[in-house]
Amino acid sequence: MSSSKTNRREFLKTTGLGLTALSLSDGLLSSTGKGTRPNIIFIMSDDHAAHALSCYGSKINQTPHLDRLAQEGMRFDNCFCTNSICAPSRAVILTRKYSHLNGILDNRLKFDGTQQTFPKLLQQAGYQTAMIGKWHLKSDSTGFDYWNILPGQGDYYNPDLIAMGERKQYPGYVTDIITDIALDWLTRRDSQKPFCLMYQHKAPHRNWMPGPKYLNLYDNEEIPEPATLFDDYATKSRAAFEQEMTIEKHLWDGHDLKFIPETAKATEDSRLWLREIGRLTPEQRKLWDEAYEAENKAFKEAKLTGKDLTRWKYQRYIKDYLRSVASIDENVGRLLDYLDENDLAKNTIVVYTSDQGFYLGDHGWFDKRFMYEESLRMPLLVRYPEEIMAGSVNTDIVLNLDFAPTFLDYAGVSTPADMQGVSMKPILHGKTPADWRQAMYYHYYEFPGAHSVKKHYGIRTQTHKLIHFYDDIDAWELYDLIKDPEELKNVYDDPTYSEVVKQLKADLKALQEKYQDTEAMQYNDEK
Ligand code: SGN
Ligand code: CA
C-alpha cells in the first residue's frame, strides 16, 4: 500500500498535477487494489441510435449485453454530438476540439494525425494503446502501439483491414472479426501496463448488411413504426423538404433494400450492390438468397404503392439495421465475458457509444446530420464498478467533446490548455458540478453533399432548441422540447416565445465566442 502511494505521488509529480488534481483524482489508484491506473475500453459503433438499445427504452429491439453496461454502470440520457456525422465526431473525440478547430468539418477531409490527441497523451503517460476497427479519418492512425483498421467505411463481409500499414483480407463478418482482433490484442498485451483500447464497429452503418447468424431474425414479425414516419414537416423550414434521406424515396433497391437490380451496372446503386454481394463466399451467398428470396417474391407480387410501399421499405430497412445491431450486442457480450474471465472487469472503464445517432424512420428518414434529437443524441454507457454506481442514470448535458478529458482525468494525465470539453468524472461519481453546462452548441457543414442536409448550427438547452439553417437558405427553427419532444412544431414565429428566442440567440453567440466559432457568427443575425 505504501509503495503504491509513493508511486502515485511520483506519478502526479511527473505529470505536473498539483494538489487540486490530487484531491480530484482521489480513488485513482486505490480502485484496483493493485495500485495501478484504470484501463479504458472505448467501444464505439457507427450510427447506432440510442432508441435502438433496450436500456434506453427501445420499442423495437433487445440488446441484453449492452444493457449490462447500463445495469452495472451509468446511462447518460443527454449525451450529444457537436456535428452529427462520422469523421467529424471521431475527430472531436480524439482531439477534444470542435470541428472548426480540428479541421474535420465533414467526411471528405483528411485528418491531420500530427495533432494532439488523447491516445497520444495516454501513450506518453505509459498506457498501451490500440485502435481496432472503424477509423474513417483517411490518414493512418497515430498515437497507438497497435492499430488495425478498416480502410474508409470498410466492408461487412470478408473485409480488408490495415494492420500497422499492411492490408489483408479477413474471412467472415466484420463485427465478429473486429472483436476477434480486439480479444487477440488483449491477450497479447503487456499485462504490467494499463491499456486504452479503442474497439470500434462499422455496424450498423448503411447498407445494413446483417451477419449470417442474424439474417432471419425478425422474420414474420412486424417492427413497430415510429410515430413520426409520415411527418409532413408542416411548420419546418425548406431544409426539411429538400433533404434526400427519406424512407419513401431515397433508399436504393439493391444496396439498401436488398433486391438484385435488374438494370445491372447501370446505376450507382447496382454498382455498389453488385460489389457488396460479390464479396460473399458461395456459402454466405446461399444463406443470403434463402433469407430474402421469399419476401422479395411476395413483395413483387403485392405491387404496393403510396404509404403501403413506404411501410414495407421501413420494415426491410429497420430489420436489417437491427440485425446488424444484434451482432454488435453479441460481440460486446463476448468482450465483457473476456473481462470477467480475466479479472479485468473491476479495473477497466468500459464505455459504449456511437459516433452519432440516426433516424430509424423518425420524420420519415434514415441517416443523421440534422440537429433534431434522434441523430443529435449519442448513446453513452459507462461502467467502472469501483467508482460508478450500478444502474445510475444522468440527465446533464454531456458531449463527445467531454470523453477525452474524462479519460485523461481518470488516468491522472494533465490536459493541455487549449482543450475544449470538460471531464465527466464528478458526474460519474454522482456529483454534478454547480457550474456544469446548461446548453450545448452544434454545427453541421457537409452541404452540398450526400443526403442534401443544409448547413446549420444551433443551441440546445434542457428545454429548448434553436436552429439556424444558413448558406443557400436563412431559416430559424425553435422547438419547445418539453411540450413537443418529437420536434413537430417549429414555434420560432410564435410571439409567446419571443423572449426565449432572444435569450437563446444571446446564449448561442456566447457559445460561439467560447468555442471560437467566430466564422459562424456572421450568419447569426436575421435578414
Ligand atoms: C455513405 C452513405 C451515406 C452516409 C455517409 C456518411 N452512403 O456515403 O448514407 O450518410 O456514408 O456516413 S452509402 O451509399 O455509401 O451507403 S458516416 O457514418 O460515415 O458519416
Ligand atoms: Ca456514423
Side-chain angles (χ1 to χ4, degrees):
M1 198 59 211
S2 71
S3 79
S4 79
K5 269 191 181 153
T6 319
N7 287 343
R8 176 188 185 181
R9 230 172 276 130
E10 273 168 14
F11 168 72
L12 291 168
K13 214 165 78 192
T14 51
T15 54
L17 289 180
L19 271 178
T20 327
L22 192 80
S23 60
L24 263 179
S25 57
D26 237 358
L28 187 70
L29 305 183
S30 58
S31 61
T32 65
K34 288 184 193 160
T36 52
R37 291 169 284 166
N39 306 308
I40 298 162
I41 299 186
F42 180 74
I43 314 172
M44 182 155 72
S45 52
D46 195 332
D47 295 358
H48 189 186
H51 52 313
L53 278 119
S54 32
C55 58
Y56 278 95
S58 166
K59 297 186 185 112
I60 54 175
N61 69 332
Q62 291 297 319
T63 48
H65 300 288
L66 291 165
D67 290 0
R68 256 189 80 185
L69 292 172
Q71 282 147 16
E72 297 168 9
M74 186 175 276
R75 187 189 83 207
F76 287 84
D77 282 0
N78 284 322
C79 178
F80 303 117
C81 61
T82 58
N83 182 359
S84 180
I85 179 167
C86 186
S89 179
R90 288 155 200 267
V92 167
I93 291 169
L94 287 167
T95 62
R96 318 92 66 228
K97 284 179 188 162
Y98 266 89
S99 307
H100 59 281
L101 297 180
N102 69 40
I104 303 298
L105 298 174
D106 61 40
N107 268 347
R108 298 171 287 214
L109 296 154
K110 186 171 173 178
F111 182 67
D112 169 9
T114 64
Q115 292 185 74
Q116 188 62 281
T117 62
F118 85 84
K120 287 185 186 172
L121 290 165
L122 290 177
Q123 197 180 35
Q124 282 157 26
Y127 270 70
Q128 285 168 91
T129 56
M131 164 62 225
I132 294 163
K134 174 130 184 223
W135 174 248
H136 202 223
L137 288 168
K138 291 195 194 307
S139 51
D140 284 350
S141 313
T142 51
F144 300 98
D145 299 320
Y146 177 73
W147 53 274
N148 196 350
I149 58 172
L150 292 166
Q153 297 280 11
D155 285 304
Y156 272 107
Y157 274 81
N158 311 313
D160 281 5
L161 277 102
I162 307 170
M164 313 284 286
E166 218 173 291
R167 184 167 174 150
K168 81 168 203 215
Q169 192 178 13
Y170 289 69
Y173 183 64
V174 71
T175 308
D176 303 329
I177 293 165
I178 290 171
T179 311
D180 291 344
I181 300 172
L183 294 180
D184 180 57
W185 182 80
L186 282 172
T187 310
R188 288 189 291 109
R189 79 188 201 283
D190 174 356
S191 61
Q192 298 307 307
K193 284 187 182 171
F195 66 84
C196 172
L197 166 64
M198 298 182 78
Y199 158 58
Q200 305 190 163
H201 287 294
K202 167 187 171 64
H205 190 271
R206 190 182 184 192
N207 64 335
W208 319 293
M209 289 178 80
K213 200 168 159 184
Y214 295 103
L215 276 166
N216 295 97
L217 183 69
Y218 308 117
D219 275 2
N220 309 315
E221 273 179 52
E222 280 263 303
I223 309 285
E225 287 170 5
T228 61
L229 182 60
F230 296 104
D231 187 359
D232 62 2
Y233 320 129
T235 61
K236 284 190 162 56
S237 70
R238 196 154 58 79
F241 293 88
E242 294 181 5
Q243 48 63 40
E244 293 173 1
M245 48 192 255
T246 61
I247 304 278
E248 185 194 351
K249 292 197 205 117
H250 302 105
L251 287 170
W252 293 345
D253 286 352
H255 183 60
D256 300 325
L257 296 172
K258 318 294 183 329
F259 291 112
I260 308 292
E262 276 132 22
T263 52
K265 294 195 175 136
T267 61
E268 173 77 352
D269 175 16
S270 345
R271 191 187 59 72
L272 278 174
W273 182 226
L274 291 176
R275 196 188 74 79
E276 295 281 358
I277 204 91
R279 297 190 68 83
L280 271 56
T281 63
E283 296 76 35
Q284 290 165 342
R285 181 62 196 263
K286 192 162 169 282
L287 290 175
W288 267 69
D289 288 346
E290 283 165 10
Y292 292 96
E293 227 163 30
E295 244 185 42
N296 284 357
K297 197 163 163 270
F299 169 73
K300 283 201 175 141
E301 282 164 12
K303 299 202 176 358
L304 302 172
T305 53
K307 284 191 173 178
D308 290 337
L309 179 57
T310 302
R311 293 203 150 101
W312 189 92
K313 287 183 181 180
Y314 165 76
Q315 291 296 325
R316 172 60 56 95
Y317 153 60
I318 201 68
K319 285 183 181 179
D320 283 343
Y321 178 95
L322 296 176
R323 287 165 178 150
S324 309
V325 168
S327 283
I328 295 180
D329 187 59
E330 177 196 331
N331 277 285
V332 169
R334 283 176 67 202
L335 181 97
L336 297 180
D337 287 348
Y338 179 94
L339 299 182
D340 288 338
E341 285 152 17
N342 292 278
D343 198 20
L344 283 166
K346 212 170 153 191
N347 189 36
T348 302
I349 299 172
V350 181
V351 175
Y352 182 79
T353 190
S354 166
D355 56 349
Q356 22 38 229
F358 212 66
Y359 296 98
L360 306 179
D362 315 280
H363 304 289
W365 296 333
F366 63 95
D367 218 72
K368 51 259 178 179
R369 302 158 191 270
F370 277 110
M371 197 194 166
Y372 305 122
E373 294 293 271
E374 295 86 353
S375 62
L376 179 68
R377 176 168 291 109
M378 303 165 83
L380 178 64
L381 308 171
V382 188
R383 184 186 81 171
Y384 183 26
E386 296 237 327
E387 296 201 18
I388 302 172
M389 206 173 42
S392 46
V393 176
N394 177 272
T395 56
D396 295 312
I397 295 176
V398 301
L399 305 175
N400 52 351
L401 204 60
D402 302 326
F403 296 175
T406 308
F407 302 149
L408 295 172
D409 194 358
Y410 269 108
V413 178
S414 59
T415 43
D418 65 346
M419 177 194 82
Q420 298 181 320
V422 190
S423 168
M424 301 183 289
K425 194 172 168 190
I427 293 183
L428 288 161
H429 287 182
K431 295 188 192 87
T432 303
D435 59 352
W436 192 259
R437 76 168 70 77
Q438 295 302 311
M440 62 85 56
Y441 178 62
Y442 182 87
H443 196 161
Y444 171 82
Y445 303 82
E446 197 178 284
F447 182 86
H451 302 296
S452 281
V453 174
K454 297 190 189 297
K455 291 185 186 182
H456 60 290
Y457 56 79
I459 177 171
R460 187 204 191 278
T461 66
Q462 292 281 6
T463 55
H464 294 88
K465 185 185 291 175
L466 179 72
I467 310 175
H468 184 209
F469 293 95
Y470 70 96
D471 194 30
D472 68 336
I473 179 173
D474 177 11
W476 292 83
E477 292 181 9
L478 173 72
Y479 295 94
D480 182 332
L481 300 174
I482 305 297
K483 287 195 189 148
D484 175 29
E486 283 169 336
E487 298 166 300
L488 292 172
K489 199 164 175 236
N490 168 19
V491 290
Y492 181 74
D493 290 320
D494 180 340
T496 355
Y497 287 92
S498 60
E499 275 311 303
V500 175
V501 168
K502 210 170 138 203
Q503 183 62 50
L504 285 176
K505 282 192 175 173
D507 294 345
L508 175 70
K509 186 164 172 262
L511 285 179
Q512 288 170 329
E513 266 161 9
K514 173 178 168 160
Y515 294 121
Q516 301 153 42
D517 195 4
T518 39
E519 257 194 62
M521 289 167 73
Q522 65 181 296
Y523 302 104
N524 279 356
D525 294 321
E526 296 174 80
K527 285 186 290 224

